[in-house]
Amino acid sequence: MVIAILFFAGAFIAGKFSIAEFPIPSLTFFRFGIAGLVLFLVLIIQGRNLFIPRKEIPVVFLLSLLGMVGYHLFFFAALKHTSTINTSLIAATNPVFTTIFASIFLKDKINARTILGVSFSFVGVLFLITNGNISVFENMSFNIGDLLMLCAILCFSSYFIILKNVLTRINPFTLTAYVFIFCAIILLPFVIYENPFSYLPNVTSKGWGSLLYMSIFSSVIAYLIQQISVQRIGPVKTSLYINLVPVFSMFLAYFILGEQITYHKIIATIIILTGVFVTIKSKIK
């Protein structure tokens, strides 16, 4: 999961380049469409079964709708209506919602160490995105963008919970391929409406390079690792690793974009890592 989170964090850097050259639905379509085709090609080369049971198609379609289409569309829409701080704060609640959903729907027993670890990590994320300045909360106002971001997190937390049961019936490689392809199919009407021929000729090599990075590393490899992680250590521990994304993004932004790292961010990193360590050592699955 640490490797997966590194690739996810890299998508934030790549996204800064690609989002300027692709419309949001089209960017999501090409990212997961390419990733899905790559996975199916690997399945063919390996001689694996390319089909899933017909009765599993509705739940796999639901996974794609929640974890790929729903999350990304709600997330990008939220950014148009609310601040980055508000978005980051709400995103940090993902492990909290996943823990709650796991206890309700999967009957997971949540122990004190798990609660402590999730709380530590959550506080660390808050400290990171506010730079340790508590007064930030005094100036916060909530709007439709915050509601959209909450919908994004609820989609992703639900995705994690459903995913655990599906992985007992479909191997992660095949499941990931179908989730990506279904995502592309769902978004195809939006792409046609946006008329890709109007912007594709103007996409630069930097735009295509960023898209390919997100397709291969942030999608094929990272999501595959994530699904294996849900299968092996459960949705709660897996979701907690997502709180490492802002930490990794911070260091990548420092080396690639030249952004500064303050001592507040270093302290936040220590708190987040402590929370993750405490949780993965607990017995919850």
Side-chain angles (χ1 to χ4, degrees):
M1 273 307 296
V2 173
I3 295 174
I5 294 304
L6 176 61
F7 291 150
F8 281 140
F12 283 82
I13 307 300
K16 285 185 175 290
F17 303 117
S18 56
I19 199 65
E21 304 189 37
F22 293 90
I24 292 171
S26 292
L27 178 60
T28 308
F29 168 83
F30 285 118
R31 172 182 175 178
F32 291 110
I34 294 173
L37 291 176
V38 169
L39 282 175
F40 271 111
L41 179 61
V42 174
L43 287 172
I44 293 173
I45 294 175
Q46 293 182 339
R48 297 194 186 191
N49 183 14
L50 299 180
F51 302 99
I52 58 175
R54 183 177 299 178
K55 64 179 182 180
E56 300 289 356
I57 291 179
V59 71
V60 176
F61 187 87
L62 179 61
L63 283 173
S64 183
L65 190 63
L66 290 172
M68 306 299 122
V69 179
Y71 173 77
H72 286 88
L73 294 187
F74 277 127
F75 171 71
F76 287 125
L79 288 177
K80 291 184 177 181
H81 297 282
T82 191
S83 68
T84 303
I85 289 178
N86 284 34
T87 303
S88 301
L89 284 170
I90 298 170
T93 64
N94 180 46
V96 177
F97 280 111
T98 302
T99 302
I100 294 173
F101 288 171
S103 64
I104 295 175
F105 299 108
L106 300 180
K107 307 302 181 183
D108 285 348
K109 295 180 179 180
I110 310 301
N111 56 41
R113 174 175 272 183
T114 301
I115 296 175
L116 179 64
V118 170
S119 301
F120 251 101
S121 186
F122 181 62
V123 170
V125 172
L126 298 187
F127 198 84
L128 174 62
I129 60 184
T130 61
N131 275 326
N133 184 7
I134 305 299
S135 63
V136 168
F137 295 101
E138 299 175 0
N139 302 319
M140 286 181 60
S141 60
F142 293 89
N143 52 47
I144 186 64
D146 300 316
L147 181 60
L148 290 170
M149 190 59 203
L150 180 60
C151 289
I153 294 306
L154 291 175
C155 281
F156 211 61
S157 296
S158 301
Y159 164 82
F160 270 128
I161 300 304
I162 298 172
L163 183 63
K164 183 178 182 180
N165 288 327
V166 178
L167 285 169
T168 62
R169 305 187 299 271
I170 306 174
N171 79 75
F173 212 104
T174 305
L175 179 60
T176 305
Y178 272 92
V179 166
F180 288 170
I181 289 297
F182 283 167
C183 173
I185 293 173
I186 295 169
L187 290 173
L188 184 58
F190 297 95
V191 176
I192 295 174
Y193 175 78
E194 291 170 340
N195 186 17
F197 297 105
S198 64
Y199 59 83
L200 286 181
N202 300 317
V203 176
T204 65
S205 58
K206 182 181 291 186
W208 285 116
S210 301
L211 174 62
L212 288 175
Y213 170 84
M214 289 191 292
S215 297
I216 304 303
F217 293 95
S218 302
S219 298
V220 173
I221 300 176
Y223 274 97
L224 183 58
I225 291 174
Q226 181 177 265
Q227 294 205 8
I228 294 173
S229 177
V230 170
Q231 188 180 48
R232 294 188 179 183
I233 66 174
V236 174
K237 291 182 180 179
T238 299
S239 69
L240 190 65
Y241 278 95
I242 295 175
N243 277 348
L244 293 177
V245 169
V247 177
F248 281 43
S249 297
M250 174 182 68
F251 287 104
L252 289 175
Y254 172 78
F255 288 108
I256 298 175
L257 303 178
E259 296 183 5
Q260 297 300 309
I261 296 180
T262 64
Y263 73 90
H264 296 103
K265 294 179 179 179
I266 295 176
I267 294 174
T269 299
I270 295 173
I271 297 174
I272 292 172
L273 291 176
T274 300
V276 172
F277 178 79
V278 170
T279 305
I280 63 176
K281 289 297 182 181
S282 65
K283 296 181 180 180
I284 186 72
K285 281 193 175 183

